Amino acid sequence: MPNQFALDLSKIREDARKHLNKGPVTSANTSDLRRLIDVLNEVVATEMVCYLRYTQNAIVAQGINREQVAALFREHADEELDHFKRVSDRINQLGGTPDLDPATLVARSHTEYEAPAENDLQEMIRENFVAERIAVETYTEIVRWIGDSDPTSRRLMEDLLKEEEDHADELSDLYEPKS
Ligand SMILES: [Fe+2]
Ligand SMILES: [Fe+2]
């Protein structure tokens, strides 16, 4: 049997008019909206913790390669801040409230805030590398979980996932494992 395409247009038109309070969200969005908003708020927290870690590390980095590494950290920090804003915007579009409360950021974040005591470059590279790998794994799971239920949120998470993989790859090039 071919997969036949059919739309109940009279019902769709009626619903479009009836539920204007839902903004862009229609019944075609089959996600568990409340859970999705909570999960996206975990991503918001993760992005902010990563932004703060990269920014701190870029400022205090020491060592012979400090300029090159600090520049990479600053570039990643800018991208994490952009992710943070994009996911916050999506939560708002879905009718939720982006939770930017600093008091609960760390508990909601998938990644940890590590600021190496010695400001050692390799230690910073390793900890940011670990954080990126955590984000890659959790964002992949989120993409799979969203599936077809909300294509726009899935695409947003796919875009972030690709950039986290790029971050992990760039850090992997700089990482020197201790022998
Ligand atoms: Fe990010
Ligand atoms: Fe990242």
Side-chain angles (χ1 to χ4, degrees):
M1 275 285 279
N3 182 10
Q4 296 206 337
F5 183 71
L7 292 171
D8 182 351
L9 268 182
S10 62
K11 166 112 176 60
I12 289 169
R13 286 171 179 161
E14 193 188 314
D15 282 354
R17 196 172 291 280
K18 204 158 72 185
H19 302 296
L20 292 175
N21 61 328
K22 292 193 176 157
V25 179
T26 71
S27 60
N29 185 322
T30 58
S31 65
D32 176 348
L33 217 47
R34 261 197 218 170
R35 181 71 185 123
L36 177 59
I37 287 164
D38 284 348
V39 169
L40 293 180
N41 267 320
E42 291 176 12
V43 176
V44 163
T46 302
E47 295 295 341
M48 182 44 67
V49 166
C50 289
Y51 165 75
L52 292 171
R53 186 189 335 92
Y54 274 127
T55 301
Q56 196 272 357
N57 289 183
I59 291 168
V60 302
Q62 289 181 355
I64 190 117
N65 296 315
R66 81 159 300 282
E67 251 174 71
Q68 181 205 359
V69 175
L72 185 75
F73 286 171
R74 275 196 300 274
E75 192 185 301
H76 287 192
D78 287 349
E79 285 168 0
E80 309 305 14
L81 188 61
D82 176 62
H83 295 169
F84 165 84
K85 289 179 190 161
R86 280 155 69 192
V87 179
S88 296
D89 275 340
R90 182 60 186 158
I91 291 169
N92 186 53
Q93 280 185 348
L94 290 170
T97 305
D99 186 351
L100 312 191
D101 185 349
T104 62
L105 270 186
V106 172
R108 272 184 289 135
S109 171
H110 300 160
T111 58
E112 295 168 297
Y113 182 91
E114 297 284 351
E118 300 300 320
N119 301 331
D120 175 76
L121 283 184
Q122 274 303 320
E123 210 177 311
M124 289 178 180
I125 290 165
R126 188 188 61 232
E127 287 310 314
N128 284 296
F129 186 16
V130 167
E132 294 294 351
R133 285 177 45 78
I134 292 169
V136 166
E137 176 146 10
T138 63
Y139 292 4
T140 303
E141 292 298 340
I142 293 170
V143 165
R144 285 210 187 101
W145 171 66
I146 294 173
D148 292 334
S149 68
D150 180 352
T152 304
S153 295
R154 188 189 61 209
R155 196 168 63 244
L156 172 62
M157 289 308 302
E158 284 172 345
D159 290 347
L160 265 56
L161 173 60
K162 192 215 169 293
E163 288 179 27
E164 310 309 1
E165 287 184 7
D166 289 344
H167 292 170
D169 186 48
E170 286 163 4
L171 292 167
S172 155
D173 290 343
L174 295 178
Y175 177 56
E176 293 162 0
K178 280 185 195 148
S179 48

